[in-house]
């Protein structure tokens, strides 16, 4: 079986963009240089050193071995598991909606909840990339902090 460098190109770009990073930013976060990232994202490579893979995984906050799993096509299960976790969090949040209620003082809470729900829906609905669970966690923490202040 041959490695799917096109899949890696898409996965790297999608993850980098979900982290709101430019290609050059990866190097400052322990990743490979901008030129290497550009070549990977354009699908212009047919091999990378083990060290480059490790650097890329660290900068993209991927688990070790993710690059190889993307290349050999087995990362799909990992992406599916991540998406299921995000879907479960969204389902729980939606189930709690009826219990929140809306009062004058609860409007900021409801607004934060709606922003969080919309962001989680966006994360779950994207088929070609791993949901950005760091961003989802950040949004949930903000919503919970606002809820605690309002209570």
């Amino acid at each position: 079986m041959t490695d799917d460098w096109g899949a890696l190109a898409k996965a790297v770009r999608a993850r980098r963009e979900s982290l709101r990073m430019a290609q050059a930013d990866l190097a400052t976060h322990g990743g490979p240089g901008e030129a290497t990232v550009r070549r990977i994202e354009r699908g212009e490579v047919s091999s990378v050193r083990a060290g480059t893979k490790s650097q890329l995984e660290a900068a993209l906050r991927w688990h070790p071995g993710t690059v190889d799993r993307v290349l050999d096509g087995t990362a799909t299960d990992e992406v599916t598991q991540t998406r299921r976790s995000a879907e479960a969090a969204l389902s729980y949040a939606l189930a709690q909606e009826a219990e929140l209620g809306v009062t004058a003082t609860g409007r900021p809470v409801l607004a934060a909840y709606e922003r969080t729900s919309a962001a989680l829906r966006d994360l779950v609905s994207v088929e070609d990339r791993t949901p950005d669970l760091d961003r989802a966690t950040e949004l949930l923490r903000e919503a919970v902090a606002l809820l605690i202040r309002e209570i």
Side-chain angles (χ1 to χ4, degrees):
M1 183 173 181
T2 59
D3 290 334
D4 189 347
W5 295 96
L8 182 64
K10 288 179 185 178
V12 167
R13 168 170 262 165
R15 179 63 175 165
R16 178 181 56 76
E17 289 176 348
S18 75
L19 294 171
R20 296 182 186 103
M21 297 171 94
Q23 290 175 338
D25 294 336
L26 292 183
T28 62
H29 287 89
E34 182 177 2
T36 300
V37 173
R38 185 181 317 110
R39 289 181 51 239
I40 290 171
E41 288 187 4
R42 288 181 178 170
E44 297 174 351
V45 297
S46 58
S47 68
V48 292
R49 294 184 333 240
T52 302
K53 290 178 184 179
S54 295
Q55 290 174 338
L56 193 58
E57 290 165 344
L60 293 173
R61 301 181 201 158
W62 277 347
H63 295 289
T66 299
V67 169
D68 287 330
R69 287 191 296 278
V70 170
L71 288 170
D72 69 17
T74 60
T76 305
D77 293 334
E78 186 174 301
V79 170
T80 300
Q81 282 296 89
T82 302
R83 186 169 288 117
R84 284 184 186 146
S85 296
E87 287 171 345
L90 175 61
S91 294
Y92 177 78
L94 292 173
Q96 299 303 309
E97 184 176 44
E99 294 180 30
L100 287 178
V102 180
T103 64
T105 59
R107 284 198 174 91
V109 173
L110 183 60
Y113 167 78
E114 288 172 348
R115 283 193 310 274
T116 303
S117 294
L120 284 171
R121 276 190 202 94
D122 290 344
L123 292 171
V124 170
S125 67
V126 176
E127 294 297 325
D128 293 338
R129 68 177 174 89
T130 303
D132 184 355
L133 294 183
D134 292 336
R135 179 69 180 138
T137 301
E138 177 185 327
L139 289 168
L140 288 170
R141 283 185 180 146
E142 289 173 8
V144 168
L146 181 58
L147 179 61
I148 290 169
R149 282 194 307 267
E150 292 296 322
I151 293 177

